[in-house]
Amino acid sequence: MVALTAIPRGRWQRLMTVSVPQARRAAARVRLSLGLLRLSSAVALAAGAAWLLSVEAWREPLALLAAAAFVALIALLAQLRAERRAVRALTAEQQRLSAATARSTRELRRSRARIAAGAERERQRIERDLHDGAQQRLVALRIELELAEELVADDPAGARERLRELEREVDEALEELRALAHGVYPPLLADRGLAEALRAEAARAALPVRVRDGGVGRYRTEVESAVYFCVLEALQNAAKHATGARLVTVALRRDRDGGLAVAVLDDGVRAPRIVAGHGILNMRERLAAVDGSVAVAPRPGGGCAVRLQVPG
Amino acid sequence: MSGAVTVLAVDDQEVFRRTARRLLEATPGFRLVGEAASGPEALRLAAELRPDLVLLDVRMPGMDGIETARRLARLQPAATIVLISIGELPELTSEPPGVIAHLRKQDLSARTLLRAWASRPAL
């Protein structure tokens, strides 16, 4: 049994829009077959009756009865056959729909499992970064401060020098924490929104990047976060694969239904066939979590277009 | 310094090995003889240098500190080990032989090291 609540709204709607018209068409076909059969039965009965009225069969009541029973039997058999065919058609359609539902459910489960596994990997990475980075530095500082404290009485100049070194190490620990926090959720994204955060990132990108914000405004936190990290991924892909690219354009647009459409367009030279690697899979999974989608295709004039879409 | 307690510091974090170096320089009666960044390297150096004390980080990628301590105890039954870890200390079902203390990294100092060394069982 499929738990409907486990299927995201957008996916379920897509599944239903594919299946319901097909089921309706099958039912219409069945109704048409039954109508035709009823019509042919009526014609056969009328013909039989006309024959009976016109011939001498009236003189033989038994023959009349037999003829009527025969016609009725033929009509009944034809009706039964039509109904059997209709049932078979409906069963086949039902099986096809069940198989399609099962396929969609399996795909959704796999996708959800991948998203959950991705989130888990991300948590572990953050924990590891904290453990290996700032936490180690702070623990080392704790020990070294105690050593410096002991040095103060015997060697004040040496202690001062050590304290200056430790100040630099505090700065390094702070920078590591800042970079880690930025990787988890960039403060600019939280405070100023997608366009500003992308502009700041564009200034640091390996290739020249122009951001056209299209006056999109703010979206839900999870939408902004998913789109922001997808655009970063697309920019990294462009830096890696768009040979000879001179400019990458990031264009944001608010759809009529309030959704968000983003295009990342580069003008580099690429292989004619774009193979979906880890980067595209990551984008797909990030966007699937907000019912969004990604399409990657070569641009007619050269370069590559990554188009992200999140419904409103 | 002759008669000093020789120490092998084992930690995958360079920042901590550097701190251990400074700590041991400042701790009278102790001398750092080697540094290892992993369990296998620690076993190799311990066999080569035969240190009196192994300062061993619990959390390391690959062979962790607990497994390294178990192997070390099998290879060198006389080895004395102080386990160190950040934050909470993991609960061990059985302490590997040779472990005389388990210290939080942030509590490591000349004083705690001397106290741990003094607590080792008499041979």
Side-chain angles (χ1 to χ4, degrees):
Chain A
M1 178 84 185
V2 177
L4 296 187
T5 49
I7 300 176
R9 188 167 52 88
R11 298 228 175 200
W12 182 247
Q13 277 170 345
R14 278 198 291 283
L15 177 67
M16 290 308 285
T17 49
V18 168
S19 310
V20 170
Q22 282 166 351
R24 280 192 187 136
R25 279 199 293 278
R29 280 199 298 275
V30 168
R31 276 199 300 275
L32 182 67
S33 318
L34 285 173
L36 284 172
L37 273 161
R38 282 196 196 98
L39 183 67
S40 33
S41 306
V43 169
L45 276 169
W51 174 74
L52 285 170
L53 287 170
S54 63
V55 296
E56 294 178 351
W58 281 105
R59 291 176 203 159
E60 289 289 342
L62 266 179
L64 178 67
L65 204 63
F70 177 71
V71 170
L73 190 65
I74 295 287
L76 189 66
L77 283 173
Q79 178 101 12
L80 279 174
R81 212 172 139 205
E83 280 176 4
R84 216 170 50 214
R85 267 211 304 271
V87 168
R88 270 206 300 269
L90 274 176
T91 310
E93 187 59 16
Q94 191 190 25
Q95 282 169 350
R96 198 194 61 74
L97 286 175
S98 301
T101 310
R103 264 200 310 279
S104 297
T105 310
R106 275 200 302 275
E107 188 204 318
L108 281 171
R109 283 200 183 122
R110 276 201 293 267
S111 168
R112 291 203 155 197
R114 280 200 300 270
I115 291 168
E120 191 54 40
R121 276 198 304 276
E122 192 63 5
R123 269 200 294 275
Q124 284 174 4
R125 183 190 66 78
I126 293 165
E127 194 276 337
R128 187 82 217 173
D129 283 356
L130 278 171
H131 176 269
D132 290 353
Q135 214 174 0
Q136 294 286 345
R137 283 189 187 280
L138 288 173
V139 166
L141 277 168
R142 167 77 183 76
I143 298 167
E144 302 233 18
L145 278 171
E146 200 170 322
L147 290 174
E149 190 185 340
E150 281 164 17
L151 206 63
V152 168
D154 302 336
D155 180 9
R160 264 198 301 278
E161 179 57 30
R162 279 301 295 133
L163 285 173
R164 272 195 290 275
E165 282 173 29
L166 295 180
E167 280 166 16
R168 280 195 292 276
E169 287 182 23
V170 169
D171 289 342
E172 281 172 25
L174 282 172
E175 178 52 29
E176 246 174 60
L177 274 176
R178 192 205 61 77
L180 184 65
H182 184 88
V184 175
Y185 202 90
L188 201 56
L189 182 61
D191 299 341
R192 309 291 299 277
L194 203 47
E196 284 299 310
L198 286 176
R199 277 206 183 91
E201 204 54 49
R204 286 195 287 268
L207 287 168
V209 179
R210 180 178 59 189
V211 178
R212 292 208 310 256
D213 66 25
V216 290
R218 302 299 305 261
Y219 281 85
R220 296 196 316 271
T221 308
E222 58 271 29
V223 171
E224 288 190 336
S225 168
V227 170
Y228 173 84
F229 285 107
C230 283
V231 172
L232 259 51
E233 188 95 51
L235 290 176
Q236 278 164 17
N237 280 353
K240 233 187 289 177
H241 303 296
T243 313
R246 282 166 304 171
L247 180 69
V248 182
T249 304
V250 179
L252 290 85
R253 180 169 53 83
R254 184 180 278 268
D255 284 345
R256 279 185 197 149
D257 67 351
L260 177 62
V262 182
V264 182
L265 315 163
D266 70 63
D267 59 357
V269 179
R270 291 228 188 180
R273 201 169 140 266
I274 293 169
V275 181
H278 283 298
I280 295 174
L281 193 65
N282 279 346
M283 285 193 256
R284 198 171 287 158
E285 286 175 0
R286 273 190 195 276
L287 289 169
V290 288
D291 275 347
S293 59
V294 58
V296 184
R299 293 174 72 194
C304 177
V306 179
R307 296 183 195 278
L308 319 174
Q309 178 76 46
V310 182
Chain B
M1 181 179 167
S2 64
V5 179
T6 54
V7 181
L8 170 66
V10 186
D11 199 308
D12 60 313
Q13 299 295 320
E14 202 281 326
V15 66
F16 193 79
R17 294 199 302 275
R18 195 173 63 211
T19 300
R21 215 177 297 147
R22 286 186 186 138
L23 173 69
L24 289 163
E25 274 169 18
T27 308
F30 285 77
R31 183 163 59 94
L32 184 72
V33 290
E35 293 174 28
S38 68
E41 192 184 2
L43 295 178
R44 191 174 54 76
L45 282 179
E48 187 188 318
L49 303 169
R50 305 219 160 246
D52 299 319
L53 177 69
V54 180
L55 207 52
L56 182 56
D57 183 28
V58 169
R59 190 177 174 184
M60 291 189 293
M63 189 191 298
D64 68 8
I66 308 296
E67 183 56 29
T68 306
R70 288 204 177 102
R71 292 191 190 201
L72 200 58
R74 272 203 301 274
L75 293 171
Q76 295 184 52
T80 299
I81 300 162
V82 170
L83 290 175
I84 46 171
S85 57
I86 278 189
E88 296 153 32
L89 307 174
E91 283 192 16
L92 300 175
T93 46
S94 64
E95 193 103 308
V99 173
I100 55 162
H102 194 163
L103 299 174
R104 296 194 312 164
K105 274 188 185 177
Q106 54 267 49
D107 295 336
L108 207 55
S109 65
R111 199 174 54 254
T112 52
L113 205 56
L114 285 163
R115 198 185 303 148
W117 180 249
S119 75
R120 74 192 187 284
L123 291 173

